[in-house]
């Protein structure tokens, strides 16, 4: 095993070129980097749990980085967050309550609050510094943070969900990618899904999680394992994916329930028109159904995957959390 990749923001990530331009390098794999040309580094911090940085990039606008990994950018964050939030809420017959694990930047809460039926959105993030940082710098989500339907909690998402007596119509895993020694890989395990998440869903409840890279070369890192793990717990499971430009890859999500989930494209479009305030930029019924159809290679990998995610037998994407640094 080689030395850990150091993905945090320091002088090793920010480099210059012959034209005195400044670039930020994100490690995709041990032999692959993805570079962003910068206008500036707006802010850097190291919390108890992870490195935090806000970059002003030329291509993608402001970009939030956690442990050196792109979390979202102004230019295309709507793709990730619409795909994460709206499929489960639209497939649910009447969603009123949502519990978001992670989501510190506020974008998932913003999308959930667009639904007219919504009565309460709980957003639970472990890292107060990330939440405070995003409230200060990400102006697009200020209305969401100020909404009286939002219950913002700073705590471990697992501990908070366990101790609450209420159940939810939709539970969302808007968690950081499973990094070795990162803050949340334990929240991708069969035990967590089976003994914590599932008992906290209402009848007809739906669980959805981001599931990591889903590209032709990257889908076996964690995507197929997360999908197979969730299949051990829920009766109906749907994987879907799309390309997110600032992630330099296709990205995957997994949605699950013990009741049939999918609605047809016409019904989904009808619900978008009647149940959501404003317009969606990316998702509609036809696109969503197309996103559940994988190419031959990824489809076969999903069918053939046998790995079940546990704390003792976890998979990780390249990179390391703050625990490996001195």
């Amino acid at each position: 095993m080689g030395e850990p990749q150091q993905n945090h923001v320091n002088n090793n990530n920010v480099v210059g070129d012959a034209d005195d331009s400044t670039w930020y390098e994100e490690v995709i794999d041990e032999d692959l980097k993805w570079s962003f040309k910068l206008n500036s580094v707006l802010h850097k911090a190291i919390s108890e749990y992870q490195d935090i940085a806000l970059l002003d990039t030329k291509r993608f606008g402001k970009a939030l980085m956690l442990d050196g990994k792109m979390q979202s950018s102004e230019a295309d964050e709507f793709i990730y967050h619409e795909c994460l939030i709206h499929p489960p809420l639209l497939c649910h017959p009447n969603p009123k309550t949502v519990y978001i694990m992670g989501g510190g930047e506020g974008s998932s809460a913003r999308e959930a609050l667009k639904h007219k039926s919504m009565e309460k959105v709980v957003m639970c993030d472990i890292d107060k510094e990330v939440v405070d940082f995003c409230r200060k710098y990400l102006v697009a989500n200020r209305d969401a943070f100020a909404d009286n339907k939002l219950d913002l909690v700073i705590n471990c998402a697992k501990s908070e969900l366990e101790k609450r007596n209420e159940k939810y119509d939709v539970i969302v895993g808007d968690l950081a990618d499973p990094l070795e020694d990162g803050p949340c890989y334990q929240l991708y395990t069969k035990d967590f899904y089976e003994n914590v998440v599932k008992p906290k869903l209402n009848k007809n409840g739906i669980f959805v999680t981001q599931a990591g890279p889903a590209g032709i070369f990257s889908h076996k890192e964690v995507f197929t394992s997360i999908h197979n793990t969730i299949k051990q717990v829920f009766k109906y499971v749907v994987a879907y994916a799309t390309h997110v430009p600032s992630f330099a890859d296709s990205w995957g999500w997994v949605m699950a329930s013990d009741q049939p989930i999918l609605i047809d494209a016409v019904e989904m479009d009808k619900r978008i028109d009647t149940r959501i305030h404003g317009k969606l930029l990316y998702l509609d019924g036809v696109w969503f159904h197309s996103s559940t159809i994988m190419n031959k290679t990824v489809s076969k990998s999903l069918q053939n995957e046998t790995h079940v995610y546990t704390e003792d037998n976890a998979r990780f994407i390249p990179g390391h959390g703050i625990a490996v640094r001195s």
Side-chain angles (χ1 to χ4, degrees), residues 82 86 90 111 114 272 276-284:
E82 286 191 14
H86 295 298
L90 291 167
E111 294 301 316
K114 290 180 179 179
I272 291 171
I276 291 178
H277 292 291
K279 299 291 185 181
L280 300 185
L281 298 175
Y282 194 77
L283 185 144
D284 64 16

Side-chain angles (χ1 to χ4, degrees), residues 267-315:
E267 178 62 22
M268 182 169 279
D269 286 338
K270 187 182 301 182
R271 292 184 183 186
I272 291 171
D273 289 339
T274 59
R275 287 167 39 164
I276 291 178
H277 292 291
K279 299 291 185 181
L280 300 185
L281 298 175
Y282 194 77
L283 185 144
D284 64 16
V286 171
W287 171 81
F288 176 71
H289 279 267
S290 73
S291 74
T292 67
I293 302 171
M294 306 293 162
N295 64 63
K296 182 178 180 180
T297 297
V298 176
S299 180
K300 289 183 70 174
S301 295
L302 288 168
Q303 292 171 19
N304 295 334
E305 182 63 78
T306 60
H307 180 263
V308 174
Y309 213 101
T310 67
E311 289 193 31
D312 295 329
N313 188 22
R315 288 183 182 174

Side-chain angles (χ1 to χ4, degrees), residues 5 7 26-28 49-50 66-69 71 176-186 188 210 222 309 314-325:
Q5 291 108 343
N7 284 323
E26 177 182 347
V27 175
I28 302 298
Y49 302 100
Q50 54 205 336
L66 297 179
D67 279 335
K69 294 291 186 180
Q71 302 301 302
D177 298 324
L179 295 173
E180 189 171 4
D181 299 313
C184 62
Y185 75 87
Q186 299 91 341
Y188 291 93
Q210 80 92 6
V222 294
Y309 213 101
R315 288 183 182 174
F316 306 101
I317 66 168
H320 285 264
I322 199 167
V324 303
R325 295 192 289 275

Side-chain angles (χ1 to χ4, degrees), residues 6-22:
Q6 298 297 301
N7 284 323
H8 51 299
V9 177
N10 58 21
N11 291 333
N12 294 327
N13 294 87
V14 180
V15 297
D17 62 17
D19 299 323
D20 291 328
S21 297
T22 304

